[in-house]
Amino acid sequence: MNIVLLQAKYDKVDVISQQKHIFRYAHQNNLNIDSTEIDSFDINEDLSSRNELKGFLRSLDVGDNILIYSLSTFSYNVEELVKIFNCLFERSISAHVTSLDLKITRDTPIGMIFGLLLKEQEKNSFSHKTSTHGRPKGRMSKSKFDVHRLKIIELLEKKHSVNEISKILGISRSSLKDYINSRGLKDLVETRKTLLGEKDFVKNKKIFSKCKIIKK
């Protein structure tokens, strides 16, 4: 079956526009749409609390195709995306990402998949849930450290401590620590290290150990 999934909480493209784009893609690729679902839970939430999305993923059968406008339909968070795609691939479920004009399957090269996930997190780096100091959920403001983001990731990958990175970049250690934590950069580095060290996306048990939460 070919199932469309629309994201009601995606702030960049509304549901109607997503639907029109996906239907146009389906027509161009001779895909018949069997059903359309809408996820109305907060896109910033962890997968564990998004019951609508989990229910949708559990309902899919082996060999189904999901049509989504953007990877952000699933999540803004690269680790959540990794969990979702691993579980989809275990059931040979493919995802058509229409904004990229791309079909992602379990046979898609891991380097390409990770590149897409990383690019998606870069694009949405200011759209994560804020959970500290009682601040409300919503779009995270830009930071003066954004210009150093790629360098910070590179240094974290080389196992430099926050203290060492602050000295290398000449910036406040405490502010740098807050920036790394708020952007989830350590988690991103661990995900990158794990994925790039594996040839088979599905066999990576360390990062994908929680995929059972959306299994049938």
Side-chain angles (χ1 to χ4, degrees):
M1 294 182 67
N2 300 317
I3 303 104
V4 171
L5 179 64
L6 305 173
Q7 177 51 253
K9 300 295 185 180
Y10 188 41
D11 57 359
K12 293 180 175 63
V13 182
D14 62 41
V15 169
I16 299 300
S17 298
Q18 291 175 48
Q19 185 179 47
K20 287 181 178 178
H21 193 280
I22 291 172
F23 280 16
R24 189 181 309 118
Y25 171 94
H27 177 72
Q28 292 171 347
N29 290 275
N30 297 314
L31 296 172
N32 294 318
I33 303 301
D34 296 297
S35 67
T36 299
E37 305 290 339
I38 299 178
D39 179 19
S40 59
F41 270 58
D42 190 338
I43 199 171
N44 291 296
E45 294 286 352
D46 292 338
L47 182 59
S48 59
S49 61
R50 292 174 65 188
N51 295 328
E52 249 181 56
L53 180 59
K54 287 192 294 182
F56 168 76
L57 294 171
R58 291 191 189 103
S59 73
L60 299 172
D61 292 322
V62 173
D64 280 347
N65 289 289
I66 306 173
L67 287 85
I68 55 178
Y69 174 76
S70 165
L71 290 174
S72 296
T73 299
F74 288 142
S75 178
Y76 283 150
N77 185 286
V78 67
E79 287 190 270
E80 300 295 293
L81 288 169
V82 166
K83 295 175 191 175
I84 291 170
F85 273 103
N86 179 66
C87 292
L88 295 180
F89 292 163
E90 284 186 347
R91 288 182 284 159
S92 298
I93 296 169
S94 302
H96 293 260
V97 186
T98 66
S99 64
L100 301 175
D101 193 24
L102 178 67
K103 180 181 180 181
I104 302 176
T105 73
R106 62 183 299 160
D107 296 321
T108 302
I110 185 173
M112 178 184 291
I113 294 172
F114 181 76
L116 292 172
L117 300 186
L118 182 58
K119 186 177 293 186
E120 192 73 9
Q121 188 181 63
E122 290 279 349
K123 184 172 65 176
N124 296 307
S125 60
F126 308 120
S127 300
H128 299 293
K129 178 179 65 174
T130 303
S131 59
T132 58
H133 305 299
R135 289 176 291 182
K137 298 177 183 178
R139 183 169 296 278
M140 192 176 292
S141 61
K142 291 185 178 181
S143 167
K144 62 183 179 182
F145 296 139
D146 287 339
V147 295
H148 300 299
R149 190 172 191 272
L150 294 180
K151 185 64 176 178
I152 293 169
I153 292 173
E154 177 187 337
L155 292 171
L156 287 172
E157 287 178 335
K158 293 179 179 178
K159 301 188 182 301
H160 285 282
S161 67
V162 174
N163 189 51
E164 290 170 336
I165 296 172
S166 69
K167 290 179 179 178
I168 292 171
L169 299 179
I171 55 184
S172 163
R173 179 189 178 282
S174 59
S175 297
L176 175 62
K177 183 178 179 180
D178 288 342
Y179 178 77
I180 290 173
N181 290 338
S182 67
R183 264 59 175 181
L185 297 188
K186 286 187 176 180
D187 291 336
L188 176 60
V189 167
E190 286 303 309
T191 302
R192 178 185 175 91
K193 180 172 64 176
T194 306
L195 287 180
L196 294 183
E198 289 288 340
K199 294 182 179 178
D200 188 339
F201 201 67
V202 176
K203 289 182 180 178
N204 190 326
K205 300 302 181 184
K206 180 180 178 182
I207 193 71
F208 303 133
S209 60
K210 295 182 181 178
C211 75
K212 61 186 179 181
I213 62 177
I214 62 170
K215 279 188 177 179
K216 286 184 178 181

